[in-house]
Amino acid sequence: MNYVSTRGKSPAVGFAEAFAQGLAPDGGLYVPETLPSLPGDLLLEEGPMPYPALAWDFFNLFDTDHDSEELIALIDESYGSFSETMTAPLVQLAENLHVLELFHGPTLSFKDFGLQLIGNLFEHQIRHTGEPINVLGATSGDTGSAAIHGLANKKGVNVFILYPKGRIAELQERQMTCTAAKNIFPIPIEGTFDDAQRIVKELMGDLELKNRLRLSAINSINLARILAQSVYYVHAYMQLPLDRRGDVHFAVPTGNFGNVLSGWLAHRMGLPVERFIVATNRNDILHRLFTTGQYASGEVHPSLAPSMDIQIASNFERFLYYFHGEDGKKTAADMAKIAKTGKLKLPNFDPGVFAATRCDDDQILVNIQRAKEEYGYIVDPHTACALQEIDPDRTTVVLSTASPAKFPDVMKKAIGEAPTDPMLDVLKKRKPVRYELEATPAAVRAFLEANAAG
Ligand SMILES: *Cc1c(COP(=O)(O)O)cnc(C)c1O
């Protein structure tokens, strides 16, 4: 299987190369040259197969670079770290309403599904090539902690994660700073997430530096992350009774459009889905897109669901590519328009299988309260956004993207109690290690030069 760029101007590459590069040389994102079909008999199975076995079946369709034995080992190791034997259990709340719990990985958010696998793929690549790498990224919370836990103590890789000082949840910061791993460098900077991201982009754009230090990225444009997330949509479907699989709606808390794109790709591969509900918080760029056909980024406003405080949905480009019938030229032209004017109007836009909802902070609190009263179930503030508009006559699967234990302040405000998790309690006893730097590319560059692996 080969991978091509959404902008159509980069040579096709194999899975390992697409994974290692992240961004294609023409600035586009990698997509499979042709999207394979899910094995039809899989969808008729009564009950789920073990998660790693399903993940292996799925990746076999995409990854023709690793041999079977290697791939099995990588997948087993990635999902062996989850605390639930079901990995992604489906919990029924009402006749037609189910929650897919995606927070049983080591950092208690769905980002572990992609980043545990990425960590093992990097380690495998380093063993294979003998060349160390340095991972550089910026985070508003969950991506950084999941990446750090995917790579902590792995040989031949050092990890540098920038984050806005004082603007992420305390427990998210502890997940990054309390690992006690020598290869992890959490870097708080003065400013916002956008400032951190800008520094990373500038350093990544310096090809001499990037090549010499072998800098790699871990953000959600990496195709391996997207594909790893497609697996749990299939797994959720297999956990539904056979007579409930005819009209499935997936409601997905959305920021960068990565998670819901993963589901949509599974649908394009044959997974029967009636609707994907793109659930945003008050940062509603995607709600506006799917209700009006107009994509226009605005200012980011802090919300009670901070991991969705995004106004540039980086995976939108992959949606656009399929929307244009896999036409790289049209996609590149539209992306150029967005880069120039910050917006794009899609003529005669038909949202197809997508619908969208928007949830402001007050509604987040109400949705958390209602879930507790009506179902005796506690959701985190991100998942609460996906409970905004549920059709009671359809089989609905709400994707729960994080554990409520990560956001004790919001939970106390909503329901007067904050669930805890033993994994987070352990962190509270450890001493944080962090490297505060001046918020300039020069300061971060000097730090990288001094601490890079290899
Ligand atoms: C990252 C994140 C999201 C948004 O996911 P996207 O793939 O960016 O759409 C939602 N909820 C939580 C808890 C997250 O960490």
Side-chain angles (χ1 to χ4, degrees), residues 253 279-280 305 308 357-361 363-371 378-390 398-402 410-411 414:
T280 73
M308 290 154 55
T357 61
R358 174 191 195 279
C359 188
D360 65 23
D361 278 356
Q363 288 165 314
I364 288 178
L365 295 173
V366 169
N367 291 352
I368 295 172
Q369 285 154 8
R370 231 188 35 213
I378 296 182
V379 293
D380 95 290
H382 303 81
T383 309
C385 294
L387 290 171
Q388 185 62 19
E389 259 177 68
I390 302 285
V398 169
L399 271 63
S400 182
T401 48
V410 184
M411 300 313 295

Side-chain angles (χ1 to χ4, degrees), residues 109-111 142 253-259 307-308 310 380 382 401-402:
S109 91
F110 82 95
K111 302 230 166 58
D142 289 331
T254 300
N256 254 319
F257 203 68
N259 198 354
S307 300
M308 290 154 55
I310 286 163
D380 95 290
H382 303 81
T401 48

Side-chain angles (χ1 to χ4, degrees), residues 122 125-126 131-135 156-159 213-216 453:
F122 271 137
Q125 181 196 324
I126 294 163
E131 294 187 338
I133 59 170
N134 290 288
V135 165
V157 53
N158 283 355
V159 184
L213 299 186
R214 275 178 295 273
L215 294 181
S216 284

Side-chain angles (χ1 to χ4, degrees), residues 201-278:
K201 274 202 180 137
E202 178 159 339
L203 295 177
M204 284 289 194
D206 179 341
L207 290 185
E208 187 279 322
L209 184 79
K210 182 168 185 245
N211 292 335
R212 184 162 47 83
L213 299 186
R214 275 178 295 273
L215 294 181
S216 284
I218 38 84
N219 47 10
S220 74
I221 57 168
N222 198 305
L223 186 69
R225 270 182 76 177
I226 298 294
L227 295 177
Q229 293 166 182
S230 299
V231 176
Y232 51 66
Y233 285 86
V234 182
H235 198 247
Y237 182 88
M238 293 173 80
Q239 289 182 72
L240 289 168
L242 283 175
D243 61 356
R244 288 299 172 112
R245 297 181 186 177
D247 57 1
V248 181
H249 288 195
F250 283 103
V252 189
T254 300
N256 254 319
F257 203 68
N259 198 354
V260 68
L261 179 89
S262 299
W264 188 56
L265 290 181
H267 174 57
R268 293 183 72 93
M269 293 168 67
L271 185 71
V273 176
E274 190 174 87
R275 189 130 299 149
F276 289 100
I277 300 164
V278 177

Side-chain angles (χ1 to χ4, degrees), residues 266-334:
H267 174 57
R268 293 183 72 93
M269 293 168 67
L271 185 71
V273 176
E274 190 174 87
R275 189 130 299 149
F276 289 100
I277 300 164
V278 177
T280 73
N281 62 16
R282 58 186 291 206
N283 298 293
D284 59 354
I285 180 168
L286 291 168
H287 176 255
R288 284 181 281 123
L289 168 74
F290 285 110
T291 49
T292 68
Q294 165 114 352
Y295 181 91
S297 57
E299 206 180 311
V300 178
H301 299 284
S303 83
L304 295 181
S307 300
M308 290 154 55
D309 290 347
I310 286 163
Q311 283 286 16
I312 303 166
S314 35
N315 272 291
F316 173 63
E317 179 163 351
R318 286 195 173 101
F319 169 78
L320 211 50
Y321 173 78
Y322 288 104
F323 177 79
H324 285 314
E326 307 186 24
D327 186 327
K329 257 205 192 114
K330 282 189 188 160
T331 310
D334 278 355

